[in-house]
Amino acid sequence: MDAGHLAQAEAANPPAGSLTDSRTGSAPAADPAPRALHGSFSFDLDFTVARAEVFRGFADPSLRSRWFRLPGGSATAEHALDFRVGGGETARNVFVSGDTEEHLAYRSRFLHIVPDTRIVYVYEAEVDGSTRWISLVTVELADRPGGSRLTWTEQYTWLVPTGDGTQDAAHLRGGTRLLLNGLTAAVNPGRHHFPRR
């Protein structure tokens, strides 16, 4: 059987496990979704309080809600925290800029927690009902002279990038630094220092 006859035979009887469109008998059309972009970043943040206090900033719902919320007005903000392995966190808000209104949502699940030492979780960020990116975050806490150090490592997959995605990655990294400024204000007022890497 030559290559032409082989192709006809396979089209008539596709190999087990192959995908075909039941209406046309042909392979499905290529997925129009943009290619996912992958990346990571990491940085350290020093505190003048013990790592147990920094950990409490993640674990205590009243402290967490003081520094973690999505952009937008406080009247539209929603937040819930279930800080345990298998638990998670949800947040919603409506961000308005000029004539543009965006509905933001955040969902996470805690995968690994070692009190005062490590938190590993996965989260997804949604804009107007579309998941924009998903991240795996590792927060590590260690003692240092005069206080503690937080090391934040985030590995992201951008599913719906803007343009080539370079601005999205910069926005995520900058937004995370701003978010951690809020953690500093909640658990270590008056102290803020990002060591150089």
Side-chain angles (χ1 to χ4, degrees):
M1 182 179 287
D2 64 21
H5 288 100
L6 180 61
Q8 287 174 347
E10 283 183 351
N13 298 306
S18 66
L19 299 176
T20 60
D21 184 321
S22 61
R23 292 168 290 152
T24 65
S26 62
D31 186 5
R35 186 180 176 110
L37 300 175
H38 303 272
S40 64
F41 59 90
S42 181
F43 46 78
D44 297 328
L45 179 61
D46 289 343
F47 294 85
T48 59
V49 296
R51 59 189 166 124
E53 286 302 305
V54 180
F55 183 85
R56 202 167 69 84
F58 286 88
D60 181 326
S62 64
L63 268 178
R64 177 76 167 159
S65 65
R66 285 177 44 200
W67 67 274
F68 179 84
R69 76 177 181 129
L70 297 178
S74 58
T76 57
E78 299 174 23
H79 181 254
L81 175 66
D82 179 13
F83 189 78
R84 62 182 173 82
V85 172
E89 184 172 32
T90 58
R92 295 186 174 284
N93 211 348
V94 178
F95 177 74
V96 178
S97 177
D99 294 341
T100 304
E101 181 178 286
E102 293 181 323
H103 294 263
L104 309 176
Y106 167 96
R107 284 179 299 280
S108 74
R109 187 166 65 90
F110 296 105
L111 305 173
H112 179 77
I113 299 172
V114 178
D116 306 337
T117 304
R118 185 181 312 114
I119 304 164
V120 180
Y121 65 97
V122 62
Y123 78 89
E124 59 183 307
E126 190 178 281
V127 179
D128 292 331
S130 174
T131 301
R132 295 287 309 277
W133 76 90
I134 298 170
S135 284
L136 173 68
V137 176
T138 303
V139 176
E140 295 176 291
L141 300 168
D143 294 326
R144 69 167 194 85
S148 58
R149 173 168 287 177
L150 177 151
T151 299
W152 180 283
T153 303
E154 184 160 348
Q155 298 162 295
Y156 58 84
T157 300
W158 214 279
L159 303 173
V160 183
T162 304
D164 67 359
T166 55
Q167 293 302 314
D168 293 327
H171 176 80
L172 178 58
R173 184 182 175 101
T176 302
R177 281 188 175 258
L178 288 173
L179 187 66
L180 291 177
N181 287 347
L183 171 64
T184 302
V187 302
N188 196 178
R191 172 72 175 171
H192 175 74
H193 176 62
F194 280 102
R196 292 257 185 243
R197 261 206 168 182

